[in-house]
Amino acid sequence: MSGETLSNLLSEGRRFPPPAALAAEANVTAEAYERAAADGEAFWAAAADRLDWAAPWTQVRDWSDPPFARWFVGGRLNAAYNCVDRHVEAGNGERVAFHWEGEPGDTRTLTYADLKDEVSRAANALLALGVQAGDRIAIYMPMIPETVVAMLACARIGAPHTVVFGGFSADALRGRILDCDAHVVITADGGYRKGAASALKPAVDEAVAQCPDVRSVLVVRRTGQDVAWTEGRDVWWHELVAAQYAEHEPEAFDAEHPLYIMYTSGTTARPKGILHTTGGYLTQAAWSHWAVFDVKPDRDVYWTAADIGWVTGHSYIVYGPLANGVTSVLYEGTPDTPHQGRWWEIVQKYGVTILYCAPTAIRTFMKWGEEIPERFDLSSLRLLGSVGEPINPEAWVWYRQAIGGDRCPVVDTWWQTETGAQMISPLPGVSTCKPGSALRPLPGISAEVVDDAGNPVPNGSGGYLVLTQPWPSMLRTIWGDEQRYIDTYWSRFPGYYFAGDGAKKDEDGDIWLLGRVDDVMNVSGHRISTTEVESALVSHPYVAEAAVVGAADPTTGQGIVAFVILRGAGERAAATAQGDDLAKELRSHVAKEIGPIARPRQLLVVAELPKTRSGKIMRRLLRDIAENRALGDVTTLTDSTVMDAIREGLPSGA
Ligand code: 6R9
């Protein structure tokens, strides 16, 4: 990826400076930003003061044995105490921690005082089940308050949790339970999704049947649906937890005590168990949440509209917001149940001020049309965030205008399961935003874009994103596989962490993420990122969402195949024009926007795209279709029927 890379994204010229009122009161001002960026380790030492430590640390970071880092050496703390008890002790027990909204419309409000009681009871319940510090616990739950309570109860007694997304199969769950050798599973009978009760317990039963070491399954009753019951192993949450004392004395653990394992898919079939520890993780989750979202705990109503089974839910539904003592919204269900305005109804109802979600959601809302959010009062919003994939400039601008009333800054935050917290992002009171760019590394973070040989590229060029210094919330290893940790992240560019993402620096040195490096196509020797072609397609008024893949081509090496979802205008045009004309127009539009080399060889209109739980398009499966192959592994798809629908809609021979 060098000078040959085409430069459509870099011609994006729109600029959005911070609103004056927000800048004047911002948690991080321009002056503080300059100072922080120059501070190095002292910056993180100050950030760690956001937490309550039971014993002080003696060294900020220990990088004497790279790539194995230790942060806040010798410090001791309890993550749950920091997220819950200390806010109650400070007199904020009556502050709402979560406004929870169930999909069917039932609601619950949990104050920090409520949360302290619930977490203490759940911690006592886990102790009653024989759990000890260091034991792993698997959590397979819907988006209900007990999920947060379960995670914090684990943290409170030093038992690392591994949350497995409720949409994953019994197979996926079993693999994770076995990999980290969890002996206890916390689950629910089911949860509500798309207007119906969706069972979870049967998948646990199926998974655990082949996990001989699982001795207890703690089950929350959410939907009331029938469940099979294994006496002696299964325990109802409402029986065991409710019977416990609401007092539990939190024990302080070493800063490097494991907090959780989050599995993420790699290039091979076996998922990687990303290990996060306590002090550094909580410091960076709390600091980034405070700085990037400019949260004011006494005023804001904060909402990360993501699943807790994704790292975004860990850092920005649970640990970051709670460490900061913020009021959050937690929503169980899907955005179009019972109607396509559900999110906006929730924003209006709770007066949400800060919203954080994924580009895929934003593009879906674009497809549904701005008339839907227009029906709701969204004037409480003051800041918007994006995470999970590169956000196309058109989607960014739509988000700012249709949702943010053209007054809310949009922060595009780049990070990974492995980084634990946000790494590259604008700061809303400081940065002039550019649609589609995550801009600069946050203070205390060192990122670079390098060429094949590991040398920094000049401004205006593209390459590979690397992190050149360790950071507090970095993964410590891959659970049970140190060699894989070294090989995957630290071997491609010695001394640097290789993120696996392509990126460009523009003329100002600002960073534009281009997607995973395996999402780069090679067409007649030209390297073209899928993100650039997708952004060109989404900039056409007919297109809501696009996924682009490179398919093997006998003459050009790879040919560009585009799958598009139409917006209302596009659907009307498709009804009047010949399908071929529409495809031709869109292909020409890409040629005009980027250059003739980027004109898709083939363009298919589809109703849905295959996505993972975190909203990432599974281009691998689309490539299978484009190359006429049998489908690869679909276990991480949120909805496996999507692939059948795409195949059925294909013109014969495609
Ligand atoms: C938090 C999360 C990590 C991968 C990452 C990159 C993509 C995330 C992005 C982004 C462009 C952003 N990604 N945020 N790409 N701009 N703002 O998503 O973690 O599920 O581990 O995915 O997601 O490709 O490498 P995870």
Side-chain angles (χ1 to χ4, degrees), residues 16-43:
F16 298 89
L22 192 151
E25 280 196 42
N27 288 350
V28 181
T29 59
E31 187 238 353
Y33 179 68
E34 295 295 325
R35 222 178 330 118
D39 257 2
E41 278 187 21
F43 166 77

Short mmCIF file of all heavy atoms in Angstrom, two decimals, residues 16-43:
data_model
loop_
_atom_site.label_atom_id
_atom_site.label_comp_id
_atom_site.label_asym_id
_atom_site.label_seq_id
_atom_site.Cartn_x
_atom_site.Cartn_y
_atom_site.Cartn_z
N PHE A 16 -15.31 20.37 10.49
CA PHE A 16 -16.26 20.73 11.54
C PHE A 16 -15.53 21.05 12.83
O PHE A 16 -15.17 20.15 13.59
CB PHE A 16 -17.26 19.59 11.75
CG PHE A 16 -18.09 19.30 10.52
CD1 PHE A 16 -17.65 18.38 9.57
CD2 PHE A 16 -19.29 19.97 10.31
CE1 PHE A 16 -18.41 18.13 8.42
CE2 PHE A 16 -20.06 19.71 9.18
CZ PHE A 16 -19.61 18.79 8.23
N PRO A 17 -15.29 22.33 13.10
CA PRO A 17 -14.61 22.70 14.36
C PRO A 17 -15.50 22.45 15.56
O PRO A 17 -16.71 22.31 15.42
CB PRO A 17 -14.31 24.19 14.19
CG PRO A 17 -15.19 24.67 13.08
CD PRO A 17 -15.61 23.48 12.26
N PRO A 18 -14.92 22.38 16.77
CA PRO A 18 -15.75 22.11 17.96
C PRO A 18 -16.73 23.26 18.20
O PRO A 18 -16.36 24.42 17.97
CB PRO A 18 -14.74 22.05 19.11
CG PRO A 18 -13.40 22.30 18.55
CD PRO A 18 -13.49 22.54 17.09
N PRO A 19 -17.94 22.97 18.65
CA PRO A 19 -18.86 24.05 19.01
C PRO A 19 -18.25 24.86 20.17
O PRO A 19 -17.68 24.28 21.10
CB PRO A 19 -20.13 23.32 19.49
CG PRO A 19 -19.95 21.88 19.12
CD PRO A 19 -18.50 21.63 18.91
N ALA A 20 -18.39 26.18 20.10
CA ALA A 20 -17.72 27.05 21.08
C ALA A 20 -18.14 26.73 22.51
O ALA A 20 -17.31 26.66 23.42
CB ALA A 20 -18.00 28.52 20.75
N ALA A 21 -19.45 26.49 22.71
CA ALA A 21 -19.94 26.27 24.07
C ALA A 21 -19.34 24.98 24.63
O ALA A 21 -18.94 24.92 25.80
CB ALA A 21 -21.46 26.20 24.08
N LEU A 22 -19.28 23.93 23.80
CA LEU A 22 -18.71 22.67 24.27
C LEU A 22 -17.22 22.84 24.58
O LEU A 22 -16.72 22.39 25.61
CB LEU A 22 -18.93 21.58 23.21
CG LEU A 22 -18.65 20.13 23.64
CD1 LEU A 22 -19.52 19.17 22.86
CD2 LEU A 22 -17.19 19.76 23.50
N ALA A 23 -16.51 23.54 23.69
CA ALA A 23 -15.07 23.72 23.88
C ALA A 23 -14.79 24.47 25.18
O ALA A 23 -13.84 24.15 25.91
CB ALA A 23 -14.47 24.46 22.68
N ALA A 24 -15.63 25.46 25.49
CA ALA A 24 -15.39 26.30 26.67
C ALA A 24 -15.49 25.48 27.96
O ALA A 24 -14.80 25.76 28.94
CB ALA A 24 -16.39 27.46 26.70
N GLU A 25 -16.35 24.46 27.96
CA GLU A 25 -16.56 23.66 29.18
C GLU A 25 -15.97 22.26 29.06
O GLU A 25 -16.28 21.39 29.87
CB GLU A 25 -18.07 23.49 29.40
CG GLU A 25 -18.75 24.66 30.04
CD GLU A 25 -20.12 24.24 30.57
OE1 GLU A 25 -20.24 23.15 31.16
OE2 GLU A 25 -21.05 25.00 30.35
N ALA A 26 -15.17 22.02 28.04
CA ALA A 26 -14.73 20.65 27.77
C ALA A 26 -13.85 20.09 28.87
O ALA A 26 -13.07 20.82 29.49
CB ALA A 26 -13.99 20.61 26.44
N ASN A 27 -13.98 18.80 29.12
CA ASN A 27 -13.11 18.13 30.09
C ASN A 27 -11.65 18.25 29.68
O ASN A 27 -10.77 18.39 30.51
CB ASN A 27 -13.48 16.64 30.20
CG ASN A 27 -14.80 16.44 30.93
OD1 ASN A 27 -15.34 17.39 31.50
ND2 ASN A 27 -15.32 15.23 30.89
N VAL A 28 -11.40 18.12 28.36
CA VAL A 28 -10.04 18.31 27.86
C VAL A 28 -10.05 19.52 26.93
O VAL A 28 -10.70 19.51 25.88
CB VAL A 28 -9.53 17.07 27.10
CG1 VAL A 28 -8.10 17.30 26.62
CG2 VAL A 28 -9.59 15.83 27.99
N THR A 29 -9.35 20.55 27.32
CA THR A 29 -9.27 21.77 26.50
C THR A 29 -8.05 21.67 25.60
O THR A 29 -7.19 20.78 25.78
CB THR A 29 -9.10 23.00 27.39
OG1 THR A 29 -7.90 22.82 28.15
CG2 THR A 29 -10.28 23.16 28.34
N ALA A 30 -7.96 22.60 24.65
CA ALA A 30 -6.83 22.59 23.71
C ALA A 30 -5.51 22.68 24.47
O ALA A 30 -4.54 21.99 24.16
CB ALA A 30 -6.97 23.75 22.72
N GLU A 31 -5.50 23.48 25.50
CA GLU A 31 -4.26 23.69 26.24
C GLU A 31 -3.87 22.42 27.02
O GLU A 31 -2.72 21.98 26.99
CB GLU A 31 -4.48 24.88 27.18
CG GLU A 31 -3.25 25.35 27.90
CD GLU A 31 -3.44 25.30 29.41
OE1 GLU A 31 -4.57 25.03 29.88
OE2 GLU A 31 -2.44 25.48 30.11
N ALA A 32 -4.88 21.80 27.66
CA ALA A 32 -4.61 20.57 28.40
C ALA A 32 -4.15 19.46 27.45
O ALA A 32 -3.31 18.63 27.80
CB ALA A 32 -5.87 20.12 29.15
N TYR A 33 -4.69 19.47 26.26
CA TYR A 33 -4.36 18.46 25.26
C TYR A 33 -2.88 18.55 24.89
O TYR A 33 -2.17 17.56 24.86
CB TYR A 33 -5.25 18.67 24.04
CG TYR A 33 -5.01 17.72 22.91
CD1 TYR A 33 -5.32 16.37 23.04
CD2 TYR A 33 -4.48 18.15 21.70
CE1 TYR A 33 -5.11 15.49 22.00
CE2 TYR A 33 -4.27 17.28 20.65
CZ TYR A 33 -4.58 15.95 20.81
OH TYR A 33 -4.36 15.08 19.77
N GLU A 34 -2.42 19.78 24.62
CA GLU A 34 -1.01 19.99 24.28
C GLU A 34 -0.12 19.48 25.41
O GLU A 34 0.86 18.77 25.18
CB GLU A 34 -0.72 21.49 24.08
CG GLU A 34 -1.45 22.12 22.90
CD GLU A 34 -1.00 21.53 21.58
OE1 GLU A 34 0.20 21.21 21.45
OE2 GLU A 34 -1.85 21.35 20.68
N ARG A 35 -0.48 19.82 26.62
CA ARG A 35 0.33 19.45 27.77
C ARG A 35 0.35 17.93 27.93
O ARG A 35 1.42 17.33 28.07
CB ARG A 35 -0.27 20.09 29.03
CG ARG A 35 0.75 20.67 29.96
CD ARG A 35 0.15 21.35 31.19
NE ARG A 35 -1.17 21.95 31.00
CZ ARG A 35 -2.25 21.58 31.67
NH1 ARG A 35 -2.21 20.57 32.52
NH2 ARG A 35 -3.40 22.19 31.48
N ALA A 36 -0.83 17.32 27.84
CA ALA A 36 -0.94 15.88 28.05
C ALA A 36 -0.13 15.12 27.02
O ALA A 36 0.55 14.14 27.34
CB ALA A 36 -2.40 15.46 27.99
N ALA A 37 -0.21 15.58 25.77
CA ALA A 37 0.46 14.85 24.70
C ALA A 37 1.97 14.83 24.91
O ALA A 37 2.65 13.91 24.50
CB ALA A 37 0.09 15.47 23.35
N ALA A 38 2.49 15.85 25.60
CA ALA A 38 3.94 15.95 25.80
C ALA A 38 4.40 15.22 27.07
O ALA A 38 5.58 15.06 27.31
CB ALA A 38 4.34 17.42 25.87
N ASP A 39 3.45 14.75 27.88
CA ASP A 39 3.76 14.29 29.22
C ASP A 39 4.27 12.85 29.35
O ASP A 39 4.86 12.50 30.36
CB ASP A 39 2.50 14.41 30.10
CG ASP A 39 2.59 15.62 31.00
OD1 ASP A 39 3.60 16.34 30.88
OD2 ASP A 39 1.67 15.82 31.80
N GLY A 40 3.96 12.00 28.34
CA GLY A 40 4.41 10.61 28.40
C GLY A 40 3.86 9.87 29.62
O GLY A 40 2.68 9.94 29.91
N GLU A 41 4.77 9.19 30.33
CA GLU A 41 4.34 8.37 31.48
C GLU A 41 3.62 9.18 32.55
O GLU A 41 2.71 8.68 33.21
CB GLU A 41 5.54 7.68 32.11
CG GLU A 41 5.93 6.43 31.39
CD GLU A 41 7.01 5.66 32.14
OE1 GLU A 41 7.18 5.86 33.36
OE2 GLU A 41 7.69 4.85 31.49
N ALA A 42 4.02 10.43 32.73
CA ALA A 42 3.41 11.27 33.76
C ALA A 42 1.92 11.46 33.45
O ALA A 42 1.09 11.59 34.36
CB ALA A 42 4.10 12.62 33.84
N PHE A 43 1.61 11.47 32.16
CA PHE A 43 0.21 11.60 31.78
C PHE A 43 -0.61 10.43 32.32
O PHE A 43 -1.68 10.61 32.92
CB PHE A 43 0.09 11.67 30.25
CG PHE A 43 -1.32 11.46 29.79
CD1 PHE A 43 -2.25 12.48 29.90
CD2 PHE A 43 -1.74 10.22 29.33
CE1 PHE A 43 -3.57 12.29 29.54
CE2 PHE A 43 -3.06 10.01 28.97
CZ PHE A 43 -3.97 11.05 29.08
#
